[in-house]
Amino acid sequence: MGNIDKLIDKFQNNSISNEELSELENWVKDSEYNKDYFKNSVQNDYLISSFYRKQEEIPNLSNLKKPIIILKARKRRANLMKFAAIFIVALIASTTVYFYFFNSAETTYVPGEIIITNENGEKITVDNQIKEIVYNEEGEVSNLGSQVKKNPNSSKNHSKTLAYNTINVPKGKRIQLVLSDGTKVYLNSESSLRFPSHFPKAEQLRKVSITGEAVFEVSKDSLKPFIVEAGMLKIEVLGTRFNVDAYPQSKQISTTLAEGSVQLNYENEVLRLEPGEAGILSKNTNILQVEKVNVANKMAWVDDRILFINETFSEIQKKIERSYGVQIINNNKQLNDVRFNGDFDINSENIEDVLNAFKAVDFFEYTYKNNIVTIKNKE
């Protein structure tokens, strides 16, 4: 076993060559005994490393109240150890301590495409290269391909008719929409917007409905207030910039104001927001209240950033899933209430850059395959 021990030692010290890695892989596959032998070697190395890490006063999750852990991305190094560890240990993952693989059956998570459904039920898939969809005053849009050149209700005979479209944005994707009145809507991942293809002159209001999250830059029109319906909450505005967070699975609906002024209406209650404030409606208590908030934390996604300031991991997990179009299975429930600060650019930093920032401060081990991230339960 001397040669195998040397290969395992090289593997664990990141000095194994491609040829040696293939030899070790073939040996591991050869028998159950070999798999167990390799597993025990990796396990012993992990336990020894864990002992020394404890001496370095690395934070213990069970003792953490509400820490603020500052994360910085460490760019991935294309080293052999990283890929070799995942590749080989996956063969014996059913009982290993070091790596936990949620891989009893091959599973793939596919978030889907951006879809626009018009009032007639016609569905149009938006090309991945399209970053902005612009509707003109007649409700026409030109960059969705030959399928949709002109809305059938935009002709003179139908100029007084409201024709509603719905756009659905899956995880991992975002898009900008310019409505026929010039209002800009930035739709976040896992969101949908119901909006008129154009706003007829006879209508007294401009009204849309949002599920999920969006930032609105409303075109001013003093004669036609702009109304956003977000679940039980109605937001009225003449011209401003604000974020609406109304994901169905969230315990609250919030509106964060960046510029201008908005009025929130819930049943018989009316609240007016000033910049830097958020109106928050609790779904459990049906209480609407105003809080001072960090606007940047709520609006950063528009600039393709994942920004979290004093946020729990349970909330950060949702941001990561939506930004990168993945599913995260968190088997480390103690992690949910730990608070972090971090700032990542999703255009230049991929999901493993983000996850490795958590790993670098020894908060978890994870696996990533087929758009599924599995976080190991920390022993």
Side-chain angles (χ1 to χ4, degrees):
M1 301 290 291
N3 184 52
I4 292 299
D5 288 333
K6 289 180 181 178
L7 291 179
I8 294 175
D9 185 62
K10 286 185 176 183
F11 166 74
Q12 294 181 133
N13 287 289
N14 193 21
S15 60
I16 193 169
S17 68
N18 287 330
E19 293 76 13
E20 290 170 330
L21 178 61
S22 296
E23 181 182 349
L24 180 58
E25 176 196 346
N26 292 331
W27 179 83
V28 170
K29 289 180 178 179
D30 191 54
S31 70
E32 289 299 320
Y33 173 82
N34 292 354
K35 291 179 182 180
D36 289 337
Y37 187 89
F38 181 79
K39 177 191 70 175
N40 290 332
S41 297
V42 173
Q43 174 177 329
N44 290 336
D45 178 73
Y46 173 70
L47 293 176
I48 292 171
S49 299
S50 295
F51 173 79
Y52 284 108
R53 283 203 300 271
K54 289 178 182 178
Q55 312 310 311
E56 297 171 0
E57 298 184 348
I58 290 176
N60 185 338
L61 278 179
S62 62
N63 298 326
L64 292 172
K65 300 294 184 181
K66 287 188 176 180
I68 307 300
I69 311 300
I70 300 176
L71 300 179
K72 294 182 179 180
R74 293 186 177 184
K75 298 303 290 182
R76 292 182 305 160
R77 294 180 300 166
N79 60 64
L80 192 59
M81 175 66 177
K82 176 176 180 178
F83 297 106
I86 294 175
F87 185 58
I88 293 185
V89 180
L91 300 171
I92 55 170
S94 59
T95 57
T96 185
V97 172
Y98 188 26
F99 291 98
Y100 179 92
F101 279 79
F102 187 84
N103 199 31
S104 56
E106 190 74 11
T107 306
T108 301
Y109 177 72
V110 181
E113 303 294 336
I114 298 175
I115 302 290
I116 295 179
T117 305
N118 64 28
E119 194 173 47
N120 300 326
E122 179 187 12
K123 296 182 181 297
I124 302 98
T125 300
V126 179
D127 189 278
N128 290 330
Q129 303 302 315
I130 295 177
K131 303 302 180 184
E132 181 182 66
I133 299 172
V134 180
Y135 285 81
N136 65 21
E137 292 182 358
E138 287 74 37
E140 299 173 359
V141 57
S142 59
N143 65 335
L144 292 181
S146 58
Q147 292 177 321
V148 179
K149 291 286 188 178
K150 185 174 182 179
N151 190 291
N153 291 320
S154 65
S155 65
K156 293 181 180 180
N157 293 334
H158 296 85
S159 60
K160 296 181 180 181
T161 303
L162 275 175
Y164 276 91
N165 297 330
T166 301
I167 183 168
N168 292 283
V169 183
K171 288 181 179 179
K173 297 186 179 180
R174 295 166 178 167
I175 199 161
Q176 178 174 323
L177 198 67
V178 180
L179 304 183
S180 64
D181 67 336
T183 293
K184 293 182 179 180
V185 185
Y186 302 86
L187 273 175
N188 203 353
S189 306
E190 207 176 10
S191 302
S192 66
L193 181 76
R194 185 174 183 266
F195 62 98
S197 57
H198 74 301
F199 295 96
K201 294 180 179 180
E203 293 292 325
Q204 299 301 310
L205 298 174
R206 297 171 290 166
K207 185 166 33 177
V208 299
S209 301
I210 178 70
T211 300
E213 186 171 25
V215 166
F216 292 83
E217 293 182 4
V218 178
S219 178
K220 292 183 179 180
D221 186 341
S222 58
L223 299 179
K224 290 186 178 182
F226 194 95
I227 305 294
V228 178
E229 294 180 342
M232 301 176 288
L233 191 64
K234 185 169 73 172
I235 305 154
E236 182 176 346
V237 50
L238 294 177
T240 189
R241 189 170 192 261
F242 59 97
N243 183 86
V244 177
D245 188 339
Y247 284 106
Q249 62 270 39
S250 177
K251 295 179 182 179
Q252 61 188 29
I253 301 171
S254 66
T255 302
T256 302
L257 183 63
E259 301 171 6
S261 177
V262 298
Q263 179 174 289
L264 306 183
N265 300 280
Y266 173 65
E267 295 183 343
N268 296 322
E269 190 172 3
V270 178
L271 289 178
R272 184 174 291 273
L273 297 183
E274 299 297 330
E277 293 181 338
I280 300 173
L281 174 63
S282 170
K283 294 180 182 178
N284 294 330
T285 64
N286 293 327
I287 295 175
L288 178 62
Q289 58 187 8
V290 177
E291 294 182 2
K292 286 285 186 181
V293 295
N294 188 308
V295 175
N297 203 12
K298 295 296 296 183
M299 310 281 272
W301 64 266
V302 177
D303 298 320
D304 291 333
R305 291 163 59 206
I306 302 178
L307 174 66
F308 39 93
I309 302 172
N310 190 24
E311 284 194 68
T312 62
F313 184 78
S314 60
E315 291 300 314
I316 296 167
Q317 175 180 329
K318 297 172 187 175
K319 288 187 175 183
I320 296 173
E321 287 182 323
R322 290 166 186 154
S323 296
Y324 290 102
V326 300
Q327 178 184 359
I328 297 178
I329 301 170
N330 181 15
N331 294 302
N332 184 2
K333 301 306 178 186
Q334 295 182 75
L335 188 64
N336 284 335
D337 294 327
V338 181
R339 293 178 178 271
F340 296 86
N341 288 349
D343 189 2
F344 300 89
D345 184 339
I346 66 174
N347 293 319
S348 61
E349 294 166 314
N350 63 31
I351 185 170
E352 291 182 270
D353 293 326
V354 178
L355 295 171
N356 287 341
F358 289 93
K359 183 177 178 180
V361 292
D362 201 46
F363 269 84
F364 60 68
E365 296 285 342
Y366 72 93
T367 63
Y368 176 51
K369 186 177 182 181
N370 297 333
N371 285 337
I372 297 176
V373 175
T374 302
I375 296 175
K376 179 185 181 294
N377 184 26
K378 195 173 182 68
E379 301 293 340

